[in-house]
Amino acid sequence: MARPRKPLLSTDRIVATARALVDAEGLAAVSTRRLAAELGVSGPSLYNHFRTKDEILEAVADSVSAQVDLSMFEDGRPWRTALHDWAVSYRAALRDHPNIVPVLARGPGRRPAALRLADAVYGAMVDAGWPPAQATSIGALMRYFVMGSALGSFAGGFVDDAAAYDPADYPHLGQAHLLADQQEKIDERAFETGLAALLDGLERQYEQVKRPV
């Protein structure tokens, strides 16, 4: 009986394997040697697709950017609704792959999906009537907010030991040891609260932009 063929090495397969490795063990776990072992190939064969480990991580980052829904900028939703829905989708993608956020935070560089994302946000804001300079600032602001929310959990940063929060030292943290158990709910509520406040502020600015002189 013929032996089953190994799956052909491809860019997509390398990126998917590297992404799974980053998700499971973090950026430091990725090396060409480790990836080659995971893929069942020789190390040099990776260089037919990527020149360096950094190129692989850039591709992983772009594969995460590609998961962000951009349809809200194309289907006629008002700019505020579109920004809200995009931010929720963006955060969901980063929440699923938090270990790659430091690479994404460097900016889009030459990554195609990240550039399409930036282009969609900027274009939608300009089309809605925002001046180009403010449209740029809105894209930057939203990126700061969403990425910051994905870098770590506020609630998850508290230990579940009541003794760690002696009321003599921390009189207002008597319930802090309970936060970790409600991590998802608290972090979701915090994100929605911040996003609403941010959009409220932008809407007030927009009224000034659209007001006739």
Side-chain angles (χ1 to χ4, degrees):
M1 181 181 293
R3 295 172 62 185
R5 294 178 60 191
K6 291 181 179 178
L8 291 175
L9 189 62
S10 66
T11 297
D12 288 346
R13 188 168 166 239
I14 294 169
V15 170
T17 301
R19 185 173 58 237
L21 194 55
V22 171
D23 288 345
E25 301 182 33
L27 294 172
V30 178
S31 67
T32 52
R33 178 179 297 180
R34 176 73 184 277
L35 271 178
E38 295 284 337
L39 291 160
V41 300
S42 63
S45 63
L46 296 178
Y47 296 116
N48 293 324
H49 301 271
F50 295 99
R51 292 176 297 177
T52 65
K53 172 183 133 175
D54 284 345
E55 282 192 2
I56 295 172
L57 291 177
E58 287 287 312
V60 169
D62 211 40
S63 74
V64 172
S65 293
Q67 296 175 14
V68 181
D69 183 15
L70 298 177
S71 65
M72 64 285 297
F73 298 120
E74 302 165 356
D75 60 13
R77 276 175 250 188
W79 69 266
R80 175 179 175 139
T81 303
L83 273 184
H84 175 277
D85 295 348
W86 167 72
V88 170
S89 177
Y90 196 6
R91 178 173 177 258
L94 300 190
R95 187 179 55 207
D96 289 343
H97 307 282
N99 291 335
I100 199 64
V101 172
V103 179
L104 286 163
R106 298 172 191 166
R110 298 177 183 272
R111 300 194 298 268
L115 288 170
R116 284 192 292 273
L117 188 156
D119 181 74
V121 175
Y122 175 80
M125 295 305 101
V126 170
D127 288 346
W130 285 96
Q134 286 177 276
T136 299
S137 297
I138 290 169
L141 169 64
M142 297 298 290
R143 182 169 164 270
Y144 299 152
F145 176 71
V146 175
M147 285 197 178
S149 74
L151 282 173
S153 164
F154 172 80
F158 292 85
V159 299
D160 62 356
D161 178 8
Y165 308 104
D166 187 329
D169 296 321
Y170 316 108
H172 305 296
L173 296 182
Q175 302 296 307
H177 63 289
L178 303 175
L179 292 176
D181 285 340
Q182 301 293 319
Q183 176 177 330
E184 185 173 350
K185 181 189 296 185
I186 292 170
D187 290 347
E188 188 69 29
R189 189 170 61 220
F191 177 78
E192 284 291 346
T193 299
L195 182 57
L198 188 156
L199 293 173
D200 285 346
L202 286 176
E203 193 145 43
R204 285 193 291 273
Q205 290 187 33
Y206 187 70
E207 291 170 0
Q208 296 296 319
V209 166
K210 300 299 289 183
R211 183 174 297 167
V213 178

